[in-house]
Amino acid sequence: MILNTGLRTDIPGFFSEWFYNRIDEGFVYVRNPYAKNQIYSYKLDPELIDCIIFCTKNPRPMLKNLEKIDKFNQYWHITITPYEREIEPNVPPVDDVLESFKYLSDKLGKENVTLRYDPIFINEKYTLEKHIESFDYIANSLSDYTTEAIISFIDLYEKTKHNFPQAIEVDKEERLKIGKEFAKIGKENNILIKTCVEGNELDKFGIDSSGCMTKEVIERAINKNLDMPKQKARNGQCYCLLNNDIGEYNTCNHGCLYCYANSNKKLVKRNLKLHNPKSPILIGEIKEDDIIKETTQKSLIINDNTVQTKLF
């Protein structure tokens, strides 16, 4: 199975102690976000989990104990953007995250650590030219440390419109300009540019719109074939493996205005007060009326075969 950690919060950034405690104890509980008294139980066993996917803006808190997950296949998505504290209040500076990125790449291999540059929005400060300049700097810094970069443009979900009312969508002309320039920068640095749920309008520049966490992507990261049918498309175009997430919404303390996972700051603050690093569940404790369900887990790796995939 594939275990996700970063679709609802940033576990490496804020809950690394808790995560490593879960690794030590060999299991984790996850509260169903849509049925609060249902708890899913996962065994944290490298014989059952084919890959752990991390998505983070700050991997540094995880780095000192990486040996605890040496036996697990890992695939990291690290988001680096040019936004400053008025947009991303608690995200470390770009150069700090670049150093953590390089450290992980040296440890795991550059196929296992992917850059995310998203979401892209444009205003008077973060202009089209600013994004091109920033992405060029980041890609050049990581040219020897990754093979892929994922980009996407801001989506105005209700949470985003509430927390970031001044945000506007990137228009088609701007998207095409970014696609063309980013593809050129990627080619110069041997980094394949991919989009995340953006359709195929940028394909003509050599950008890959096939998905950022698909079966094929994970197979390449772990260098194994997986016996897994193609996923049903979300929104008609996303085939990524997004199930089995152990995080919880409204718990990420980066405070990004555009956040898709947080409803408001007060709820995040309240939840963080309930976090106990020794609890089997991320926020709070198990309650008397909670129903714990053991999940069905099995390895999907096929006969230990290796995967040969050429990017360029």
Side-chain angles (χ1 to χ4, degrees):
M1 64 167 288
I2 310 299
L3 190 75
N4 280 287
T5 72
L7 303 175
R8 300 170 184 166
T9 191
D10 190 331
I11 285 176
F14 300 107
F15 306 110
S16 61
E17 181 184 358
W18 172 83
F19 180 79
Y20 282 131
N21 286 339
R22 295 296 86 231
I23 292 293
D24 289 342
E25 294 197 37
F27 75 97
V28 64
Y29 288 159
V30 185
R31 192 173 296 281
N32 185 336
Y34 309 108
K36 293 295 187 179
N37 71 326
Q38 290 185 6
I39 305 289
Y40 298 118
S41 175
Y42 294 100
K43 294 182 178 69
L44 298 179
D45 182 346
E47 296 297 319
L48 299 174
I49 295 174
D50 301 315
C51 185
I52 303 178
I53 300 176
F54 296 98
C55 296
T56 180
K57 294 176 183 291
N58 181 19
R60 185 173 295 276
M62 288 278 290
L63 301 186
K64 64 181 178 180
N65 288 314
L66 273 180
E67 72 280 356
K68 288 191 174 187
I69 51 175
D70 278 347
K71 293 182 179 179
F72 290 89
N73 293 313
Q74 301 166 49
Y75 183 51
W76 289 72
H77 276 210
I78 300 177
T79 299
I80 308 177
T81 54
Y83 309 125
E84 297 180 11
R85 294 197 178 277
E86 83 282 4
I87 304 296
E88 299 177 341
N90 300 317
V91 175
V94 167
D95 287 334
D96 289 0
V97 185
L98 285 172
E99 288 307 307
S100 297
F101 191 114
K102 293 174 183 179
Y103 181 89
L104 272 171
S105 179
D106 285 338
K107 288 284 186 181
L108 303 175
K110 63 181 181 180
E111 295 81 9
N112 295 74
V113 190
T114 289
L115 167 67
R116 293 193 74 95
Y117 187 97
D118 75 285
I120 299 169
F121 66 85
I122 292 174
N123 62 18
E124 291 183 358
K125 181 174 182 178
Y126 302 104
T127 62
L128 192 63
E129 293 72 23
K130 171 69 173 177
H131 279 293
I132 294 169
E133 176 186 343
S134 298
F135 186 74
D136 182 58
Y137 174 75
I138 294 168
N140 184 261
S141 299
L142 298 178
S143 60
D144 294 326
Y145 297 93
T146 192
T147 61
E148 294 184 351
I150 315 299
I151 66 171
S152 69
F153 302 98
I154 194 166
D155 291 307
L156 298 185
Y157 297 116
E158 289 305 314
K159 291 179 184 178
T160 309
K161 287 190 284 188
H162 178 266
N163 295 321
F164 192 15
Q166 63 269 44
I168 57 175
E169 292 183 335
V170 181
D171 65 38
K172 184 173 182 178
E173 182 179 349
E174 292 167 330
R175 295 196 304 269
L176 292 175
K177 179 66 173 177
I178 284 175
K180 182 179 180 180
E181 293 301 319
F182 278 31
K184 179 182 175 183
I185 292 167
K187 190 169 292 186
E188 291 170 351
N189 290 282
N190 293 316
I191 296 175
L192 176 66
I193 310 300
K194 305 180 77 171
T195 54
C196 178
V197 196
E198 294 294 344
N200 57 10
E201 70 177 5
L202 303 184
D203 287 10
K204 62 185 178 181
F205 303 118
I207 289 178
D208 183 346
S209 59
S210 64
C212 56
M213 294 186 195
T214 62
K215 171 178 176 285
E216 293 75 19
V217 169
I218 303 305
E219 285 179 330
R220 187 172 66 250
I222 68 175
N223 201 31
K224 308 288 182 184
N225 288 310
L226 297 173
D227 182 18
M228 179 184 292
K230 192 170 186 178
Q231 301 294 292
K232 184 178 179 181
R234 296 173 181 81
N235 301 322
Q237 54 181 311
C238 178
Y239 291 94
C240 292
L241 308 178
L242 304 180
N243 298 322
N244 308 314
D245 191 280
I246 64 172
E248 187 164 334
Y249 293 118
N250 296 300
T251 61
C252 182
N253 201 36
H254 285 308
C256 304
L257 295 188
Y258 52 74
C259 183
Y260 306 150
N262 289 345
S263 297
N264 60 73
K265 294 179 182 178
K266 289 183 178 180
L267 186 53
V268 172
K269 188 175 181 179
R270 187 187 74 184
N271 283 335
L272 292 178
K273 287 181 178 179
L274 297 174
H275 172 66
N276 175 5
K278 296 182 179 180
S279 174
I281 199 164
L282 186 63
I283 301 299
E285 307 291 342
I286 303 302
K287 302 174 183 176
E288 287 187 7
D289 62 342
D290 284 335
I291 302 169
I292 298 176
K293 297 184 176 182
E294 294 285 340
T295 56
T296 301
Q297 295 176 248
K298 66 176 183 178
S299 173
L300 301 170
I301 292 176
I302 304 171
N303 296 326
D304 212 25
N305 293 329
T306 58
V307 176
Q308 298 296 328
T309 304
K310 186 176 181 180
L311 291 179
F312 294 96

